[in-house]
């Protein structure tokens, strides 16, 4: 008799695991049932801001693979609008509620992949009866926001609460739609995903495209009129708003996992081993935004919800489930984004992370250009490096620039991944031609500057 | 009494060495004299095609630092239009001829940096009395060509002989100037700097912008009319030409070095150690296009004339000359270029190099996109990987794509530099956001495909 795999959550991690398992085990060997409480499978949540802005015209462009494709091409029984409400590890079965039809189903499993993703941080004040307050975690969230924005008369004033990646990308999206946008951030600067010297460049660019930025401001509630939000109430007075978007970050979605007794780590994510097996629970796997993973530089567990990790982790779980061998080696915190034309990238540790981890280090900021200075289209680029002292091992890097900047973080990420020192990096053989780089690549210029800083610091 | 440093050749390598030496030793300790037979110092030879095309409007934009700047800011005695004609290692002096004023000077040295660059391969037929046949090795060469192109009536038909980087870039430049361009290549395909499957994509793009390509054709002479070239004579008949550009590659400029008894290696380049000391000749250093260097993958000496290496090698020589410590770690053959909008990149070994080095390997070619497929501006990108079999160590990579493609080679170059296997590479934490990459970066997709190929090959 075939074994059964139950997948909880039909987005990137869950469906990557399911399809990798299917590649290695056919239906006579493994039945696969995937429960997804939303209406979509395998979509790009990271793409939602670009659909909201209209840069991506159609919602369905964000869907990598439809439920029908999973059914037909992978023989995976995908059940949409089914929310798993309980996992019974003793009886090895799950209970799922049919959100549309009503009623409950019970399904037994031999293996279970828990891929329930993350839930947005939602302050109490956001639970208002007033319309117009939106998260953008799921495609359903995005659809609701888009419908609100498309209404007639259209909202004119937007407040984005929180200045992380989602907040900044949503602020850009709303500006592109022609709204007047204010970003409200509790700390002293948005984009705290990079150090404050680099973040200041981002804030400046955001103001440059007309995004109002209010920092050091706490939101305490909303005002409403006729059942619709009319302002955000803050520690420094009200900010008018016809629409409010939450970008306060997310936490691992683990309520169900906790109830079932799956172990959580210090970050609140599910604890898994390198093969994505839930620690100490045979036959149960977890992947994606609900797990915690190893930061390879700090050595500490971290929670980094990002589609690329979710896909990789799901693939690793699926290969192992299918009888193959794969491990997920952890992360180094690489991330890229853009605010209109400004590109922002990071990898490894920020200064505050390096301090928190106990590293001693030097940090340098260098200015150069994306192309040879004389080549048309050359734009300024700022590269920051953080290097361990003594020794010079690269601990972190950040880039802010105007074009062709962000993806240069990859060379730095691979250098960091391999434990290179900034001294070694000065010799790297990177691509050079005038349309693509100065004869000293910005990465090499930064590495040289870090070497000099280490020398001055007595290494 | 101060010691004396003589620099032979005032371009990238020589002047990088001189300025690094000066940073560490002031004039009372070290006098520096640099002889340059041309009219310029420290210019970007790689930029010449873009000045010819007009993309870079002014010649002087290509000059990184003028002789006056070296004199004033670095206290370096730069003597332009002075050709060193002899190096006497016993008496430790050089003889230089003043090309404009006439006469000779003799200068003693304690240390010598030999940075005479490369000389273009120039077939016998190119030594014609007819005007209109040009190399593009030096800025003086470029100036002569540009003058010819700017004449009235302007040349209409160009033939570029040789399909390497310079040939391809010059073909593009001449098309951009509105000429009718034919590229004549002796082998079966231009751009043999990448494997033929990837080179075919480049050839197709070149034809797409109107560059005529004649392969398998040998040039045997030129025809002339009224003292001007009128056609190139080939093994398959004449090809009309009002201007002929040579792009046949270069060889190390070592005549003077050989006469002085400096040792050459198997590539014809000067043999140096990791600190850029000429092997076995105390107090003599060499750097740039005249030296051979270690290929870190094949373990063999190679001659790779490229500005970025020349700068790095010059810097290393100068640091060591100045009493510091630096080594040049060798190269891995990274190179990038573009043909109109098509970008081409490589690092490491091509298939033929891998065969010649005795490696067993698998190679895979994968198709993906520069951005998330749904994000506007996503363009196709082809990534080829060559991985050692068994074991999976990355040996080489090539990329052809339409935008945001070429510099992705850097991540692959750093992976290769560090000896990563394609298996390890599948876990790399590269930057992901929809405007910058699909959720599986093209590099990761290629690595996964290589892993599959190794598995099929029994690893």
């Amino acid at each position: 008799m075939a074994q059964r795999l139950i997948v909880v959550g039909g987005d990137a991690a869950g469906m990557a695991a399911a399809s990798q398992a299917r590649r290695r085990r056919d239906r006579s060997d493994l039945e696969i049932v995937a429960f997804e409480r939303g209406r979509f499978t395998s979509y790009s949540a990271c793409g939602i801001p670009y659909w909201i802005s209209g840069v991506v015209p159609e919602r369905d462009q964000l869907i990598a693979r439809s439920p029908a494709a999973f059914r037909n091409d992978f023989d995976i029984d995908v059940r949409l609008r089914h929310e798993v409400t309980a996992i019974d590890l003793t009886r090895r079965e799950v209970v799922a509620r049919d959100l549309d039809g009503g009623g409950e189903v019970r399904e037994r499993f031999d293996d279970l992949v828990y891929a329930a993703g993350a839930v947005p941080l939602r302050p109490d004040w956001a639970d208002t009866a007033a319309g117009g307050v939106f998260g953008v975690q799921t495609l359903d969230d995005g659809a609701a926001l888009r419908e609100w924005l498309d209404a007639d008369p259209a909202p004119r004033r937007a407040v984005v609460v929180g200045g992380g990646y989602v907040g900044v990308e949503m602020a850009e999206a709303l500006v592109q739609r022609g709204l007047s946008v204010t970003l409200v951030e509790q700390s002293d600067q948005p984009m705290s995903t990079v150090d404050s010297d680099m973040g200041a460049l981002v804030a400046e660019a955001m103001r440059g495209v007309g995004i109002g930025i209010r920092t050091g401001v706490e939101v305490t509630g909303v005002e409403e009129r006729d059942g619709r939000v009319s302002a955000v109430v803050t520690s420094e007075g009200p900010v008018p708003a016809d629409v409010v978007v939450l970008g306060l970050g997310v936490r691992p979605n683990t309520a169900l996992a906790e109830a079932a007794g799956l172990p959580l780590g210090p970050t609140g994510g599910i604890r898994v081993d390198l093969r994505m097996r839930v620690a100490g629970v045979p036959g149960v796997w977890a992947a994606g935004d609900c797990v915690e993973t190893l930061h390879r530089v700090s050595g500490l567990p971290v929670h980094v919800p990002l589609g690329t990790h979710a896909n990789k982790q799901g693939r690793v779980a699926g290969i192992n489930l299918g009888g193959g061998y794969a491990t997920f080696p952890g992360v180094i915190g690489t991330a890229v984004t853009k605010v209109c034309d400004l590109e922002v990238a990071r990898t490894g540790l920020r200064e505050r992370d390096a301090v928190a981890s106990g590293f001693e280090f030097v940090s340098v900021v260098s200015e150069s250009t994306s192309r040879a200075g004389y080549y048309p289209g050359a734009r300024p680029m700022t590269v920051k490096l953080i290097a361990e002292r003594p020794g010079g091992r690269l601990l972190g890097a950040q880039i802010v620039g105007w074009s062709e900047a962000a993806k240069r973080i990859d060379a730095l990420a691979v250098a960091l991944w391999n434990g290179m020192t900034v001294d070694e990096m000065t010799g790297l053989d990177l691509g050079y031609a005038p349309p693509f780089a100065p004869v000293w690549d910005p990465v090499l210029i930064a590495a040289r500057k870090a070497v000099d800083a280490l020398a001055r610091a007595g290494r």
Side-chain angles (χ1 to χ4, degrees), chain A residues 124-126 128 218-223 229 231-235 238-239 244:
Chain A
D124 290 341
W125 61 257
T128 169
E218 195 184 351
V219 176
T220 56
V222 295
E223 292 175 1
V229 67
V232 166
V233 181
T234 78
S235 51
V239 182
V244 177

Side-chain angles (χ1 to χ4, degrees), chain A residues 82-359:
Chain A
H82 277 69
E83 180 168 19
V84 175
T85 53
I87 298 168
D88 186 331
L89 292 176
T90 312
R91 302 175 65 170
R92 297 193 88 71
E93 65 180 28
V94 301
V95 181
R97 191 149 44 94
D98 180 344
L99 297 177
D100 295 327
E104 263 182 16
V105 292
R106 284 176 179 268
E107 295 283 353
R108 70 165 187 90
F109 63 83
D110 297 287
D111 281 290
L112 179 92
V113 171
Y114 188 89
V119 287
L121 296 177
R122 204 174 163 89
D124 290 341
W125 61 257
D127 289 326
T128 169
V133 180
F134 298 91
V136 283
Q137 173 68 8
T138 65
L139 200 44
D140 287 300
D141 293 340
L145 169 59
R146 180 131 179 181
E147 196 175 324
W148 186 267
L149 294 171
D150 287 340
D152 187 14
R156 290 182 303 104
R157 300 162 307 177
V159 169
V160 175
V161 183
Y165 290 109
V166 169
V168 167
E169 286 163 5
M170 285 306 306
E172 176 191 350
L174 295 166
V175 161
Q176 287 179 328
R177 283 187 68 109
L179 279 81
S180 162
V181 179
T182 303
L183 188 142
V184 178
E185 163 64 39
Q186 200 164 354
S187 75
D188 61 352
Q189 197 169 271
M191 199 50 100
S192 63
T193 49
V194 292
D195 283 325
S196 59
D197 50 352
M198 302 294 275
L201 303 175
V202 183
E204 187 186 325
M206 290 173 70
R207 291 196 180 92
V209 298
I211 297 171
I213 300 180
R214 304 278 300 269
T215 57
V217 173
E218 195 184 351
V219 176
T220 56
V222 295
E223 292 175 1
E224 62 178 289
R225 192 178 306 142
D226 306 331
R228 299 166 65 93
V229 67
S230 62
V232 166
V233 181
T234 78
S235 51
E236 301 196 352
V239 182
D242 307 318
V243 58
V244 177
V245 174
L246 302 174
L248 291 165
V250 299
R251 57 177 176 75
N253 182 11
T254 54
L256 191 59
E258 276 186 276
L262 303 187
L264 305 189
T267 70
I270 297 171
R271 283 181 46 224
V272 291
D273 68 11
L274 295 175
R275 297 180 73 179
M276 306 313 293
R277 296 182 287 215
V278 174
V281 187
V284 179
W285 312 73
D289 292 358
C290 58
V291 306
E292 67 177 25
T293 188
L294 171 72
H295 196 295
R296 291 169 63 93
V297 184
S298 69
L300 299 174
V302 286
H303 176 237
V304 183
L306 197 58
T308 184
H309 302 327
N311 268 287
K312 287 197 196 98
Q313 292 170 342
R315 173 175 173 266
V316 166
I319 288 173
N320 289 320
L321 254 170
Y325 179 83
T327 58
F328 182 76
V331 302
I332 55 173
T334 311
V336 294
T337 190
K338 71 181 197 62
V339 188
C340 297
D341 289 336
L342 190 77
E343 301 184 2
V344 189
R346 57 160 284 181
T347 191
L349 305 182
R350 296 165 299 184
E351 287 195 31
R352 82 194 76 155
D353 306 320
V355 169
S357 297
F359 285 108

